[in-house]
Amino acid sequence: MLKNYLKIALRTLVHNKTYSVINIAGLALGMAVSVLILIFVMHELSFDEFHANHDRIFRLKAKIRIDGNDLQMTGFNQRVGPALKTSEPQVEEFVRIKESYEKVVIKSPATGQLFYEKNFLFADPSFFSVFSFRFKEGSSRTLDKPSTLVISERAAQKYFGAAYPIGKTLLYDGKHPMQITGIIENAPSNSTFDLDFITAASTFPQLSAQNKDLYGNEGVFTTYLLLDSETSAGIVEKGIGKLSSTTDFLDKDSKYVLDQFSTIHLGNNFEGVGVGRMIPIFAGIALLILFLALFNYMSLTTARSTLRAKEVGVRKVVGAGKKGLVAQFYMESILVCVVAFLLSFLLVNLLMQPFYNLLGLRIDASFLLSPQFMVFLGGLLIITALIAGSYPALVLSGFAPLQVLKGRFSAGQSGTAVRKTFMVFQFTVSIALIVCSLVVKDQLTFLQNKELGLYKDQVLAIPITQSLTNNYFPLRNEIRDRAGVTGVSATNSGLFKGYNIWFLKNFTTQKDVGLITMVADKNFVKTLGLKLKVAPQAGTYKNRNYVLLNEAAIKELGVKGNPVGQKLGDGDEIAGIVSDFHYNSPREGIRGLGLYVMSDTTNILRYGNSSGVMYARLDPKADIKANVEAIGKIFKKYELSKPFEYYFLDDAFNETFQTEVRMSKMFSLFTGVAIFIACMGLFGLVTFTAETRTREIGIRKVLGASVAGIVTLLSKDFIKLVLLSIVFSLPIAWYFMEKWLEDFSYRIQIPVWIYLTASLAAIIIALITISFQSIRAALMNPVESLKRE
């Protein structure tokens, strides 16, 4: 019986080539795009689940409320972890981790090569018992001693090639020797820790006197706990505040929270937002695109049901039961789905790397070969086949044989309302996606072109560290005096790269206020083109340190009267007011900023994290490439222990809204695919309509109907459905885009032209799709039409 069903299914596919191609191609494209999107979704949802104890690993976080503002921190001193293990029986193990948020210099003694590395950790020996990173060489207890180093396979290949690295040394910061005692497999792409170098936490205080002080007293470590059970987190949280006396860090007034490690990547971070916000959006769109393809198949299959009606009638008359007919039509659907699935698999392989490149993704091949992903693909095929075959099988198997054989079954009568609903749904989704894509692009353009209050174009940013303290002024002067350089300045932290916060008292209420701070030299305002509302008096502050507040800080600190000469809570004197400018992502509002200006620039290199950024403003009329190369040679002349590294300030600015860039690219892709699938379905329905009305078209032409009249006749019903789709889609798109725009401090008001453009584009696309087949039908010789009928 199955063999017979398969023969009929193959015969039907071959006999109806046009519709078979439309059905298979539509399903294949829908499946391929859905799989690509769902690969991204599943990969993000699987983050850190490869750790054997992922459900029992928790990160300690403190929530502090200051002046009505909730602040979160994950930095604790080195005594917190041991104290929790001693006092809380639910804590099986702890691990303290210090990440190098800035790049560190690693030098190979053998080759003398210097590299900036960003994936560097200081960690307790328990790191490898809490987290499941596999060793290729060495032992999991390898971090027991200071200056021991575990490296990844990737790092081993980079520094040693085919040589055996165990026992060899690498120089941290170009001068501190660390002996390699282990090699681990490269971290998978769904790992929060992208590890290349792990050294013992006890190494940290030995690197400098400042590190020793930080290690003993400050909150430099992120503390992770391995609990005996996932449900023990609440019990441990209640006991944390009681340890204030034993740790000299925790206090009873703050709230302590344990974040499950596997949830951190999805948004359980400082801001409470993350990639997790994108997951339901992309998963929903993937399902929508798949349903668009399925609706195409079901719509075209039921539309052509009249051509199978007599077959069904005869089969029922000779004894075929409904179950047998359902099985037959399901077999046809399964065959179409299997062929489409195989074709989609080829498309996925062809499009995977371009898709990754478009969105800046890295997904290991091992993830695609994992049992979970294979089960997902098998489930997708089964569910697709069941859904695709359900409605056609029920419709076709439900024909009454007596009516069909008596000729009382009219063309297209079966499922007309359902097909119209499918088509309205398809174009509603397509038009809504057009609107969303245009809104995201418009908001992105608005952010990129927003007036920032500073000069960001052709500004070269060069990371500098303490090693340049003695040579900073010769380096600065030589770069400044070069033709093509219009200004040089330095700060302790990079613009658009994050910021520091100091807590000061409000002048009026005496409440604590978090003031964002930046330390800079006296050339900073001029070099970056900032505007001063109140300038410092040149003579008064010539050789003194002072503070410039922005306009937002004046309001937040409640400064009354003339601020010049008044002192902040830390004793620094306010010398002037700088106009508000964006120093962080433009999606955020401008908060109060204290610009601490130091007369001795080398003090900037001793401030905070012992690093800073030099800004060289380049003349846009000069050769930018030649300028950068010349500045690089000057840098290497004075800095022998660090490689020359730079970035442009406008690139740092653009990186602040990479989420929006990714979303814009995704929506453009989704929109194109949705429109293409909808047009394929529309083309198939128009083709079928033209076929079923061949006699009518021939008679109308004989009676004098024009080609334009025939085209209008065939098109008007479809255009009405497109217009109905516009009515449904615009409010839906408006609602979701307004919700999305609420996250921005600076946002567009959705312009009317976006709705008009999306509506007009949908109508034009539909007309082009319809016209191709309807004009062909209208131009057919009526004699041939009537002869065929």
Side-chain angles (χ1 to χ4, degrees):
M1 186 63 71
L2 288 175
K3 184 178 179 181
N4 183 48
Y5 290 161
L6 185 60
K7 279 184 178 181
I8 295 171
L10 287 170
R11 189 181 304 154
T12 303
L13 288 179
V14 173
H15 183 69
N16 302 288
K17 294 183 178 64
T18 300
Y19 298 99
S20 297
V21 169
I22 292 174
N23 279 331
I24 292 172
L27 273 177
L29 181 62
M31 282 184 178
V33 173
S34 298
V35 168
L36 285 173
I37 299 170
L38 291 172
I39 286 174
F40 164 73
V41 170
M42 292 183 65
H43 182 263
E44 299 302 309
L45 292 174
S46 70
F47 251 71
D48 298 311
E49 290 187 355
F50 66 91
H51 296 293
N53 301 316
H54 69 88
D55 57 334
R56 296 194 290 126
I57 302 172
F58 290 82
R59 181 189 66 181
L60 179 60
K61 179 173 70 179
K63 291 185 176 181
I64 307 170
R65 190 166 185 82
I66 297 179
D67 193 23
N69 297 313
D70 287 324
L71 300 178
Q72 302 181 39
M73 52 171 280
T74 57
F76 297 89
N77 70 14
Q78 48 92 17
R79 289 184 287 276
V80 171
L84 284 172
K85 184 177 180 182
T86 302
S87 65
E88 303 297 324
Q90 295 82 9
V91 178
E92 291 186 358
E93 189 57 273
F94 69 90
V95 58
R96 299 161 296 184
I97 296 173
K98 167 76 172 68
E99 294 185 63
S100 291
Y101 296 104
E102 297 181 352
K103 294 180 180 179
V104 300
V105 175
I106 301 296
K107 182 178 181 179
S108 169
T111 63
Q113 287 183 297
L114 299 169
F115 296 98
Y116 271 119
E117 301 288 356
K118 62 180 180 179
N119 302 323
F120 198 101
L121 293 184
F122 297 86
D124 289 319
S126 56
F127 179 84
F128 293 110
S129 59
V130 173
F131 300 103
S132 304
F133 293 101
R134 298 179 182 176
F135 270 81
K136 298 285 289 187
E137 301 283 347
S139 165
S140 61
R141 303 299 299 178
T142 191
L143 299 180
D144 285 338
K145 298 178 181 179
S147 300
T148 53
L149 187 66
V150 176
I151 63 175
S152 67
E153 291 178 285
R154 180 171 53 224
Q157 177 64 34
K158 178 178 180 178
Y159 284 91
F160 300 100
Y164 187 68
I166 299 295
K168 294 185 169 62
T169 60
L170 290 174
L171 301 180
Y172 176 89
D173 201 25
K175 56 188 176 184
H176 300 287
M178 293 188 178
Q179 185 178 40
I180 298 171
T181 56
I183 303 173
I184 58 172
E185 294 181 358
N186 295 330
S189 57
N190 56 351
S191 172
T192 295
F193 295 123
D194 190 12
L195 302 176
D196 279 323
F197 305 88
I198 311 105
T199 188
S202 55
T203 308
F204 182 75
Q206 297 186 359
L207 298 177
S208 68
Q210 183 186 32
N211 280 10
K212 186 175 182 180
D213 182 61
L214 291 173
Y215 180 81
N217 304 300
E218 302 297 328
V220 296
F221 289 100
T222 303
T223 301
Y224 293 88
L225 305 177
L226 178 64
L227 305 185
D228 59 356
S229 170
E230 183 178 359
T231 59
S232 297
I235 301 172
V236 176
E237 284 177 348
K238 293 178 181 178
I240 294 175
K242 302 175 183 178
L243 301 177
S244 56
S245 59
T246 58
T247 63
D248 295 327
F249 197 89
L250 302 173
D251 63 80
K252 296 180 180 179
D253 298 326
S254 300
K255 181 180 179 181
Y256 297 94
V257 178
L258 292 180
D259 291 333
Q260 195 165 34
F261 180 58
S262 57
T263 69
I264 293 173
H265 175 74
L266 293 178
N268 202 348
N269 52 28
F270 292 119
E271 295 81 17
V273 297
V275 73
R277 296 178 56 193
M278 299 171 64
I279 297 301
I281 296 173
F282 291 158
I285 292 177
L287 293 176
L288 279 177
I289 289 175
L290 182 60
F291 277 120
L292 290 181
L294 290 172
F295 289 169
N296 259 2
Y297 174 79
M298 290 188 284
S299 181
L300 288 177
T301 303
T302 55
R304 292 180 56 79
S305 60
T306 54
L307 306 179
R308 307 288 300 276
K310 289 184 179 179
E311 174 193 342
V312 173
V314 170
R315 284 179 176 275
K316 283 195 169 184
V317 167
V318 297
K322 187 169 184 176
K323 288 184 179 179
L325 291 171
V326 168
Q328 176 191 329
F329 294 125
Y330 254 119
M331 177 60 72
E332 293 181 13
S333 296
I334 290 171
L335 180 62
V336 170
C337 288
V338 168
V339 174
F341 182 79
L342 295 175
L343 182 58
S344 73
F345 195 73
L346 294 176
L347 287 174
V348 166
N349 280 278
L350 289 173
L351 299 175
M352 187 178 294
Q353 198 55 52
F355 180 74
Y356 291 170
N357 295 339
L358 179 70
L359 301 177
L361 301 177
R362 181 177 74 88
I363 299 178
D364 292 337
S366 58
F367 172 77
L368 302 177
L369 298 174
S370 64
Q372 296 92 330
F373 189 70
M374 291 300 164
V375 170
F376 158 73
L377 288 180
L380 179 67
L381 175 60
I382 294 170
I383 292 172
T384 300
L386 289 175
I387 295 175
S390 59
Y391 182 66
L394 293 174
V395 170
L396 294 172
S397 63
F399 291 157
L402 192 59
Q403 289 184 344
V404 170
L405 297 178
K406 286 183 176 181
R408 295 176 183 172
F409 186 85
S410 60
Q413 73 177 20
S414 178
T416 302
V418 175
R419 286 194 297 277
K420 288 181 178 180
T421 301
F422 285 167
M423 183 179 165
V424 169
F425 175 80
Q426 288 177 316
F427 272 89
T428 297
V429 171
S430 300
I431 297 166
L433 285 175
I434 293 174
V435 173
C436 293
S437 181
L438 292 174
V439 170
V440 172
K441 285 179 181 293
D442 202 37
Q443 173 67 12
L444 186 58
T445 301
F446 172 75
L447 293 177
Q448 290 171 327
N449 298 315
K450 189 181 185 304
E451 179 57 46
L452 301 178
L454 57 75
Y455 188 91
K456 65 177 176 62
D457 299 319
Q458 280 83 47
V459 175
L460 191 70
I462 308 166
I464 53 177
T465 60
Q466 272 190 347
S467 59
L468 262 173
T469 300
N470 296 329
N471 293 326
Y472 175 78
F473 287 115
L475 171 66
R476 183 200 65 182
N477 294 342
E478 191 166 343
I479 293 176
R480 182 191 61 195
D481 295 340
R482 173 178 166 74
V485 178
T486 61
V488 176
S489 179
T491 65
N492 71 307
S493 59
L495 291 163
F496 311 117
K497 294 284 187 178
Y499 44 74
N500 297 311
I501 297 181
W502 284 358
F503 291 97
L504 302 173
K505 296 292 184 182
N506 183 285
F507 279 59
T508 305
T509 65
Q510 294 302 304
K511 291 183 178 180
D512 287 327
V513 175
L515 182 70
I516 293 169
T517 61
M518 184 179 296
V519 182
D521 63 15
K522 292 188 176 182
N523 297 318
F524 183 75
V525 171
K526 181 179 178 181
T527 302
L528 274 297
L530 305 183
K531 296 178 182 179
L532 289 168
K533 294 201 72 174
V534 177
Q537 297 176 6
T540 306
Y541 297 101
K542 184 176 181 180
N543 296 313
R544 291 167 54 190
N545 298 339
Y546 57 84
V547 180
L548 297 175
L549 297 181
N550 69 350
E551 298 167 273
I554 296 293
K555 296 177 182 177
E556 291 177 12
L557 290 172
V559 182
K560 301 297 183 182
N562 183 6
V564 175
Q566 298 191 49
K567 291 188 176 182
L568 298 174
D570 56 6
D572 290 286
E573 189 171 302
I574 303 172
I577 302 174
V578 63
S579 297
D580 285 339
F581 67 95
H582 286 276
Y583 47 84
N584 207 42
S585 171
R587 68 178 297 151
E588 302 174 11
I590 298 176
R591 294 176 57 185
L593 172 72
L595 188 62
Y596 287 72
V597 181
M598 290 188 172
S599 56
D600 182 0
T601 310
T602 57
N603 284 333
I604 295 173
L605 302 180
R606 302 185 183 98
Y607 178 87
N609 295 323
S610 303
S611 63
V613 178
M614 175 187 287
Y615 292 108
R617 180 169 168 177
L618 308 181
D619 186 347
K621 297 178 182 178
D623 188 329
I624 301 297
K625 183 178 180 182
N627 251 337
V628 173
E629 290 177 353
I631 290 172
K633 291 178 181 178
I634 296 171
F635 181 88
K636 292 175 182 177
K637 177 180 174 182
Y638 294 100
E639 176 58 278
L640 302 177
S641 63
K642 304 285 190 300
F644 176 61
E645 186 182 56
Y646 68 90
Y647 59 88
F648 282 95
L649 189 57
D650 56 350
D651 290 333
F653 168 74
N654 290 332
E655 286 178 4
T656 63
F657 36 78
Q658 284 303 301
T659 299
E660 287 73 35
V661 171
R662 177 186 288 187
M663 183 171 283
S664 178
K665 291 177 179 178
M666 289 285 263
F667 268 115
S668 297
L669 173 65
F670 299 155
T671 302
V673 172
I675 290 173
F676 182 75
I677 292 175
C679 288
M680 287 182 68
L682 181 58
F683 178 80
L685 288 177
V686 172
T687 302
F688 172 72
T689 302
E691 287 180 0
T692 57
R693 302 179 72 174
T694 301
R695 179 187 297 177
E696 177 189 349
I697 292 170
I699 294 173
R700 285 180 180 274
K701 291 197 70 175
V702 168
L703 295 176
S706 64
V707 172
I710 299 296
V711 171
T712 302
L713 176 71
L714 293 174
S715 305
K716 63 181 183 180
D717 288 340
F718 292 107
I719 295 301
K720 287 178 182 177
L721 296 178
V722 174
L723 293 174
L724 184 60
S725 300
I726 292 172
V727 172
F728 289 143
S729 64
L730 297 187
I732 295 172
W734 172 85
Y735 174 80
F736 284 107
M737 285 296 96
E738 282 292 326
K739 285 290 184 184
W740 178 68
L741 289 169
E742 287 177 359
D743 291 334
F744 296 88
S745 296
Y746 302 94
R747 50 155 291 180
I748 62 170
Q749 295 299 321
I750 304 176
V752 175
W753 70 262
I754 286 182
Y755 300 116
L756 295 177
T757 301
S759 302
L760 187 61
I763 293 171
I764 291 173
I765 291 169
L767 281 174
I768 292 172
T769 306
I770 294 167
S771 298
F772 178 79
Q773 192 63 29
S774 57
I775 291 174
R776 180 183 175 190
L779 292 174
M780 186 178 293
N781 188 331
V783 175
E784 292 296 325
S785 301
L786 296 174
K787 185 188 296 184
R788 188 191 306 177
E789 287 290 323

